Amino acid sequence: MARVLSGIQPSGDLHLGNYLGAIRNWARIQHTADAFHPVVDLHAVTVPQEPGELGRATLRMSQMLMAAGLDPDVCTIFVQSHVREHTECAWLLECTVSFGELSRMTQFKDKSGRQQFISAGLFTYPALQAADILLYDADEVPVGADQRQHIELTRDIAERFNSRYGETFRLPAAVVPAAGARVMDLQTPTDKMSKSLDSPRGTVDILDDPSAIARKIRSAVTDSEADVRYDVEAKPGVSNLLSILGAATGRTPEEAAGDYTMYGPLKADTAEAVVELLRPVRARFAELEADPAETSRLLRIGAGKARAIAAATLERARSNIGLLAP
Ligand code: TYM
């Protein structure tokens, strides 16, 4: 059985991009793979956090993953900071990646451009992400297209470590979905959809009520032409709607385009498809939210399962480097 690992930051609520690009695929894959899904709270502290908020957001994100279909009896959901091996392994990997490699990461360039205080952690973030993946001997990492570069760097880090210290880490591969890998902002369709604090009208949150979803999709920016076709360069807004509709209804964007000649009906059908897709997620979340103690219990079990694997891999890495055994 393939080992799969993919994580998500607990910053803001899940949005439609996270759902179509990643989480929905995690929910499918869990039945045929041995899947691990950390809520990566230590990645979130690369930018300043409000004291007290992060813990709440971490619990809430865990409940959203479960609401979106991850079953804690089938896959392993855990909190990154509960498995301390991640930070120790990250240090070993920071010493295996170069300043030049980290400087080329587009997520760092984007995020550092928006920060007044650029932490060293924001820069070395990909080494912690590599630790998340390599500690579990993951074969596959199902992610949206924006994470591809980090997974490629993870492979390079693993290869370099193995060639310096002997076979230690398994090389993972990114798995990016055919549809929904890059959901764009509804108001600025040349930017990827990101958490709603940055762009509340351009982002569909998975917990938005049906009228909010319909309103956001109806007011999505399109263009002044009047023909419906999939052309990301020339028609980013319309193409984004076609991608979303296609991903929600199991078709390619081009297939979805064949059904429309006008923007109005395209928007109405996209809104309806998204509302139906997210309706059960919203309902399940309301149940889970009512019982935080049960979520915490499930996360403790998840951390226990994760720690057993992570500790063995870290031990292998320590011993291959030749650190003196305590
Ligand atoms: P994060 O928290 O930004 O996003 C979680 C997942 O959602 C995908 N995603 C999108 N997919 C399509 N369209 C979008 N607009 C969109 N926005 C986000 C992301 O590709 C991702 O799969 N660095 C990672 C978290 C991480 C991780 C890991 C991932 C930490 N350790 C180990 C995989 C393996 C991140 O910031 O994802």
Side-chain angles (χ1 to χ4, degrees), residues 107-167:
Q107 184 166 315
F108 173 71
K109 290 189 220 164
D110 286 353
K111 281 203 175 175
S112 58
R114 284 185 267 127
Q115 300 296 320
Q116 281 200 327
F117 176 84
I118 302 167
S119 71
L122 190 65
F123 184 64
T124 60
Y125 176 119
L128 180 59
Q129 180 162 352
D132 299 340
I133 299 168
L134 299 179
L135 277 174
Y136 297 88
D137 287 329
D139 302 292
E140 293 177 2
V141 187
V143 283
D146 62 334
Q147 291 300 315
R148 217 188 254 284
Q149 195 187 29
H150 284 166
I151 316 306
E152 274 158 22
L153 182 62
T154 299
R155 283 177 72 91
D156 294 343
I157 294 174
E159 264 188 311
R160 187 173 299 133
F161 192 101
N162 290 349
S163 78
R164 278 189 189 165
Y165 302 115
E167 203 55 33

Side-chain angles (χ1 to χ4, degrees), residues 17-270:
N18 299 134
Y19 185 72
L20 293 178
I23 320 301
R24 187 168 69 145
N25 306 309
W26 303 356
R28 285 188 192 135
I29 295 169
Q30 66 182 337
H31 299 293
T32 52
D34 184 20
F36 288 76
H37 296 295
V39 177
V40 294
D41 52 349
L42 295 172
H43 277 99
V45 296
T46 53
V47 297
Q49 297 288 329
E50 206 52 57
E53 252 316 296
L54 185 57
R56 266 195 296 278
T58 302
L59 190 78
R60 190 174 160 86
M61 179 55 79
S62 311
Q63 291 170 331
M64 276 188 278
L65 294 181
M66 294 177 199
L70 295 194
D71 180 346
D73 290 333
V74 176
C75 65
T76 304
I77 306 170
F78 67 102
V79 177
Q80 182 188 36
S81 69
H82 293 178
V83 182
R84 301 197 180 201
E85 283 76 3
H86 287 242
T87 42
E88 186 177 337
C89 185
W91 175 254
L92 303 182
L93 302 181
E94 274 177 48
C95 299
T96 316
V97 66
S98 73
F99 180 85
E101 285 169 319
L102 292 173
S103 307
R104 287 193 285 278
M105 293 297 109
T106 47
Q107 184 166 315
F108 173 71
K109 290 189 220 164
D110 286 353
K111 281 203 175 175
S112 58
R114 284 185 267 127
Q115 300 296 320
Q116 281 200 327
F117 176 84
I118 302 167
S119 71
L122 190 65
F123 184 64
T124 60
Y125 176 119
L128 180 59
Q129 180 162 352
D132 299 340
I133 299 168
L134 299 179
L135 277 174
Y136 297 88
D137 287 329
D139 302 292
E140 293 177 2
V141 187
V143 283
D146 62 334
Q147 291 300 315
R148 217 188 254 284
Q149 195 187 29
H150 284 166
I151 316 306
E152 274 158 22
L153 182 62
T154 299
R155 283 177 72 91
D156 294 343
I157 294 174
E159 264 188 311
R160 187 173 299 133
F161 192 101
N162 290 349
S163 78
R164 278 189 189 165
Y165 302 115
E167 203 55 33
T168 308
F169 295 123
R170 184 172 298 175
L171 268 49
V175 178
V176 174
R182 199 168 157 73
V183 177
M184 308 307 278
D185 187 279
L186 296 171
Q187 289 298 314
T188 317
T190 45
D191 291 345
K192 73 172 180 186
M193 187 177 282
S194 62
K195 63 182 170 137
S196 56
L197 296 178
D198 301 337
S199 169
R201 289 177 59 234
T203 303
V204 172
D205 278 327
I206 62 157
L207 301 178
D208 279 344
D209 61 46
S211 64
I213 296 175
R215 192 172 58 247
K216 287 177 184 179
I217 293 179
R218 268 201 313 271
S219 58
V221 166
T222 49
D223 52 54
S224 55
E225 297 177 0
D227 70 323
V228 176
R229 66 195 151 80
Y230 185 68
D231 179 342
V232 175
E233 290 294 312
K235 299 172 76 67
V238 171
S239 301
N240 190 34
L241 291 171
L242 289 168
S243 297
I244 293 171
L245 178 62
T249 55
R251 289 177 295 169
T252 64
E254 288 86 354
E255 282 165 356
D259 291 347
Y260 300 94
T261 51
M262 289 184 303
Y263 295 168
L266 169 64
K267 286 181 168 179
D269 285 3
T270 305

